Amino acid sequence: MPADHRSEPVGLRERGHHAATGSTTGAATAFAQPNIALVKYWGKRDERLVLPHSSSLSLTLDIFPTTTTVRLDPAAGTDAVTLGGEPAAGEPRRRVVAFLDLVRDLAGRTEPAVVDTRNTVPTGAGLASSASGFAALAVASAAAYGLDLDATALSRLARRGSGSAARSILGGFAVWHAGEGTGAAGDLASYAEPVPVSGLDPALVIALVDAGPKAVSSRAAMRRTVDTSPLYRAWADSSGADLPDMLAALRRGDLDAVGEIAERNALGMHATMLAARPAVRYLSPATLEVLDGVLQLRRDGVPAYATMDAGPNVKVLCHRTDAGRVAEVVGAAGRCPAVVARPGPGARLWTGDEP
Ligand code: DP6
């Protein structure tokens, strides 16, 4: 994987921040990018603490950043939250305020905050906007409230906002350990960390078959799957077995093995949803057309492997050198735009040195 100076784990590096003395600027801006899971997170064993049933593994991308600014406003009566410049309401606002409450508890602070979040990825389309969103919010709010957290602690914190956000704290490939138990012990054991990879130069081509918001949120869909799908337990067990195979494939830089494991893991996850009562179906006719395009690529000797999340869009893993060809084929198959992503950095504070 190419070196990227910004993919190092983040602590708090904000200028003018002195956690030990309790003196902070009270404002911070952070960036984070989405990640796409190659071994999926699907199902919680603890809803409040966002503890998953099984461990997962992902690749953080270099596209679609979220930028979040948190500024403390001691004079305000409540938190003010804007998403893309518009005041947030309902569930999105409730989740941000609950997250700020958590950060305030940890920091022993009470001031309300002004939060401004901008996504460059369509929100709620199964393109991991909650992963980049809560990773950026974790880094920015921890800094604004004067918490001095390392990458592991930031990952645990981001997890509380949205499980997949635990992995966007890290750059490149990351594994999110499910950990064991509930309560404080479960919380401590469940965080993401970087995965050693050698000799891989991958790309992830995203076939954007539909950027509209999904009908069922991933949170509701995974709850329904765990509660009602007779296939859920079988998938969770086989996903547990996929993880060590995936780690070994990454260690030896074997893109075909990585892709095969990722594709079967994703299809199995969608099978659990199709068997839920009532069924959750995110895959559309265009999704299947793209999957046919991926099969054709493989028949033509181009290593390409598909994965899908809580939406109809298809992410295709391939060698970087094949990304142009893969984008052409899957874009034509799905009659849709195809965007090429590469491994990207973990969540980070704005330091003022960025271009
Ligand atoms: C299908 O992280 O969005 O993308 O923890 O309820 O916020 P919550 O769920 P979320 O779920 C992501 C599910 C997935 C698979 C994955 O990213 O591992």
Side-chain angles (χ1 to χ4, degrees):
M1 205 172 57
D4 185 323
H5 68 283
R6 293 183 305 177
S7 62
E8 294 154 15
V10 279
L12 293 186
R13 289 181 276 109
E14 186 188 24
R15 281 197 190 134
H17 171 87
H18 304 289
T21 62
S23 144
T24 72
T25 60
T29 295
F31 308 102
Q33 259 106 329
N35 68 77
I36 299 302
L38 303 178
V39 174
K40 302 292 185 190
Y41 149 54
W42 195 248
K44 299 177 184 65
R45 66 177 195 276
D46 184 315
E47 293 264 343
R48 189 180 64 85
L49 292 174
V50 194
L51 297 174
H53 274 297
S54 58
S55 298
S56 55
L57 183 146
S58 62
L59 177 63
T60 299
L61 308 183
D62 65 342
I63 59 170
F64 297 152
T66 295
T67 307
T68 297
T69 298
V70 175
R71 184 170 54 78
L72 306 195
D73 186 358
T78 56
D79 297 312
V81 182
T82 55
L83 292 174
E86 299 291 327
E91 186 61 9
R93 180 176 194 281
R94 191 200 62 73
R95 280 177 69 173
V96 171
V97 171
F99 190 85
L100 293 172
D101 285 341
L102 185 67
V103 174
R104 283 187 281 255
D105 270 0
L106 283 172
R109 309 275 290 254
T110 56
E111 305 95 311
V114 178
V115 178
D116 177 61
T117 291
R118 285 162 202 274
N119 280 327
T120 48
V121 58
T123 305
L127 289 167
S129 58
S130 71
S132 54
F134 279 101
L137 183 61
V139 172
S141 60
Y145 282 102
L147 284 170
D148 194 3
L149 306 180
D150 64 11
T152 301
L154 283 167
S155 176
R156 284 190 199 104
L157 177 62
R159 189 198 78 226
R160 299 287 298 274
S162 186
S164 53
R167 301 181 309 232
S168 273
I169 295 295
L170 287 316
F173 291 95
V175 60
W176 170 19
H177 303 290
E180 281 181 4
T182 51
D187 177 43
L188 265 183
S190 191
Y191 58 88
E193 61 181 359
V195 167
V197 174
S198 66
L200 264 191
D201 191 6
L204 210 56
V205 177
I206 303 177
L208 282 165
V209 305
D210 184 357
K214 54 200 160 210
V216 187
S217 73
S218 52
R219 184 155 288 192
M222 75 171 75
R223 189 180 298 136
R224 191 191 299 171
T225 305
V226 173
D227 290 348
T228 71
S229 175
L231 303 190
Y232 179 70
R233 190 29 71 192
W235 174 79
D237 289 347
S238 77
S239 195
D242 281 343
L243 185 67
D245 291 350
M246 177 63 88
L247 289 167
L250 286 169
R251 233 178 281 121
R252 57 176 199 273
D254 183 345
L255 184 109
D256 287 292
V258 169
E260 274 166 28
I261 298 163
E263 197 170 285
R264 75 182 185 218
N265 189 275
L267 289 170
M269 177 187 74
H270 284 276
T272 68
M273 296 181 216
L274 292 170
R277 298 164 190 186
V280 181
R281 183 174 62 83
Y282 287 120
L283 312 182
S284 72
T287 308
L288 301 183
E289 306 277 5
V290 174
L291 291 180
D292 279 346
V294 170
L295 284 179
Q296 189 57 52
L297 279 162
R298 291 214 288 267
R299 277 196 293 268
D300 293 345
V302 181
Y305 299 90
T307 183
M308 292 78 64
D309 294 291
N313 301 303
V314 185
K315 297 93 179 185
V316 183
L317 181 74
C318 61
H319 290 293
R320 185 177 60 84
T321 45
D322 290 331
R325 166 99 186 271
V326 169
E328 223 170 84
V329 170
V330 299
R335 290 174 296 278
C336 65
V339 184
V340 177
R342 309 223 35 238
R348 59 225 175 265
L349 279 172
W350 181 69
T351 61
D353 297 333
E354 287 76 7

